Amino acid sequence: MQLSSFMTVSAAEDFLRHIYAGTVGKLQIPTRARHHAAGGEAAFVQAVSTWANEANPAELVSYAEGPVDEVQIERLVSRLHGLVGILVADTISSIRGPDLTEVLRKAALERLSLLQSATPEDGSRGPQLEIVCFDHLAKSHPRSFYAPSEQGVLQVRRLPAFNLFAAEVLKELVPTALSRGIPEGFTSALGGALHELFRNTEEHGRVNDRGDVPTKSVRGFHARRHSITPKMLPALAAEAKPFSDYFSRLRPARAGNRDIQLIELSVFDTGPGMAASLSARPLTSIDRNEELLLVRRCFGKNVSRKSISSAGLGLPTVIDLLRERNGFLRLRTGRLSLFSDLGLEEQRAFGELPELRDWADPGGRIAPIAGTLFTLLFPLGA
């Protein structure tokens, strides 16, 4: 199967349906990605990781013509979907047939070492930042998110470190001229939300819904600023009504500017999903209505999942700020694809649940997916 280079959320869902229909076979992965400015690439990362855990073996095909095709190899490794695809595949061949597994893995691991270093921006290009863990490769502790305890054990950093990280992310993404578009208090709220979401990947995202360690375990963070012309919006929406409605309200950051500046922040893992984790039961034993109730519980402040809260205070704080700034939230977990158009919600009491609505039409087919993906969107400026 040839993976679409139009990496919209809709295309990722179509890919998932093929996975569970058993019609994928070898997966041909594109070098470039287009129309991915609304969490589409993160959606494909989650889908490709799902494929790798379902396929046996997971066979990837690259557009590189051979081991000396440095341009195609560098392009593939430099993209998040390419990096993940390479490091979850069992074998990788070129479009002409020769095996490229070792060549591409070597290049991918070199870039991963930059992303997991103290300066992950060295491994990213343009206004973006990404940090990825590959637990099945013992590449689980990027320095931005982990530090040694007094006993020398690597643990998720404390909240102040994530607040500093959030400040660095926004500094990396947002030019000084547009920094006024960042809501007051957003940096610390974002740090709190990232701390909670990533900490949950450490505690709950490293096993599947049966409590087994998955063959391929991927956890990570992706942030990017997109400059979007109004003409691009229909292609980005890809006939998905939640996005069409949301995009219709977006405007350029400043008067006289042509482009809309949109910030995308995603956290993902390949764990059991929110409902299975909170209930400590496999997804197959949970009907869809109960799954939805369990997921909604996870959005409440100070909800317990084992010893640590799943939402705490950071995520509700971010949601409150994004209600004021025309934000958008998408959640993909288990058999649920949900969204909240936060800009349409009135300001509510702190910690009150956002209105989580089905992404698909009632009765629409949603294939199960490995793990959980949170994507937050908010425009800079008006």
Side-chain angles (χ1 to χ4, degrees), residues 118-184:
T119 54
E121 62 273 14
D122 292 344
S124 297
R125 290 186 174 184
Q128 67 175 332
L129 192 65
E130 49 208 24
I131 296 175
V132 197
C133 306
F134 292 89
D135 300 312
H136 61 287
L137 300 176
K139 302 291 184 181
S140 302
H141 303 104
R143 291 180 64 182
S144 294
F145 293 162
Y146 289 87
S149 67
E150 293 181 357
Q151 292 75 33
V153 178
L154 287 168
Q155 297 178 339
V156 175
R157 290 182 181 271
R158 296 182 182 277
L159 177 58
F162 274 79
N163 288 338
L164 292 174
F165 176 74
E168 288 300 314
V169 169
L170 294 176
K171 181 180 177 181
E172 191 73 22
L173 298 189
V174 183
T176 303
L178 297 175
S179 60
R180 290 183 179 180
I182 300 174
E184 183 178 355

